[in-house]
Amino acid sequence: MTIDVNNESGRKVDESALLDIARYSLSRMRIHPLSELSVIVIDADAMEQLHLQWMDLPGPTDVMSFPMDELRPPVRDEEEPPQGLLGDIVLCPEVAEQQGADAPTQHSMDEELQLLTVHGVLHLLGYDHEEAAEKAEMFGLQSAILDGWREERGLTGPSPAPTTTS
């Protein structure tokens, strides 16, 4: 799996954790190990520009996903996993920090960025949360992936609850 993490935000973020959770997420979703992903961390001003340009919404957001090859996880175990360019996940640590602080189970900016990375991966794989059933499926997967990753690494405490609005 080729995953690039590029921090252009000017803030210190745990890039190795973002890389690790992205890799774990793609593995859990059975995406081909030769697929490629880019994670870009930007400041609030740059995120606001992207949010306005692509969603026609003011203000910065927490995460945006820009799919390339529109890969989807295999439906059956015997299916060959798809290979290709997944696309870009763009994260904003300033929004993540505020969301983590405001969450019912307060957590750090890095924990929120980890959750948002999983969220972004799922968006790249075609998951959405517009409808109630879609939201239940996507957020259930998001929690299972985050919990599995945290458990494998011996991280204690509850996983951050979904806070994303994207």
Side-chain angles (χ1 to χ4, degrees):
M1 192 83 44
T2 301
I3 302 172
D4 292 319
V5 177
N6 185 9
N7 184 359
E8 301 173 3
S9 72
R11 296 189 66 166
K12 184 173 173 13
V13 300
D14 188 347
E15 294 175 36
S16 64
L18 297 180
L19 175 65
D20 192 46
I21 198 159
R23 181 171 282 119
Y24 180 86
S25 301
L26 294 170
S27 176
R28 277 284 296 263
M29 296 305 294
R30 299 186 53 236
I31 300 303
H32 198 283
L34 295 178
S35 295
E36 298 177 34
L37 170 68
S38 177
V39 179
I40 305 158
V41 184
I42 61 176
D43 65 28
D45 291 337
M47 182 61 97
E48 182 173 14
Q49 290 174 7
L50 286 177
H51 201 212
L52 191 58
Q53 177 182 355
W54 293 99
M55 305 295 289
D56 202 25
L57 295 170
T61 190
D62 50 3
V63 58
M64 293 184 75
S65 298
F66 298 94
M68 293 292 283
D69 289 344
E70 297 187 11
L71 301 179
R72 301 295 181 259
V75 177
R76 293 180 298 282
D77 287 342
E78 65 274 5
E79 281 184 66
E80 180 70 22
Q83 175 185 344
L85 298 173
L86 284 146
D88 300 328
I89 298 170
V90 183
L91 303 170
C92 183
E94 289 147 292
V95 175
E97 183 173 48
Q98 189 61 54
Q99 284 181 174
D102 292 345
T105 56
Q106 290 184 344
H107 50 269
S108 72
M109 175 192 71
D110 282 319
E111 289 171 316
E112 183 72 7
L113 288 171
Q114 293 155 16
L115 179 147
L116 295 172
T117 299
V118 175
H119 190 85
V121 165
L122 292 174
H123 271 310
L124 290 177
L125 296 176
Y127 290 89
D128 207 348
H129 46 84
E130 292 297 317
E131 305 295 326
E134 292 176 329
K135 183 176 181 175
E137 179 183 22
M138 182 177 181
F139 282 47
L141 273 170
Q142 180 176 288
S143 292
I145 291 168
L146 193 57
D147 289 345
W149 180 78
R150 290 176 57 81
E151 184 178 317
E152 279 191 15
R153 278 132 193 91
L155 301 172
T156 58
S159 291
T163 57
T164 186
T165 57
S166 300

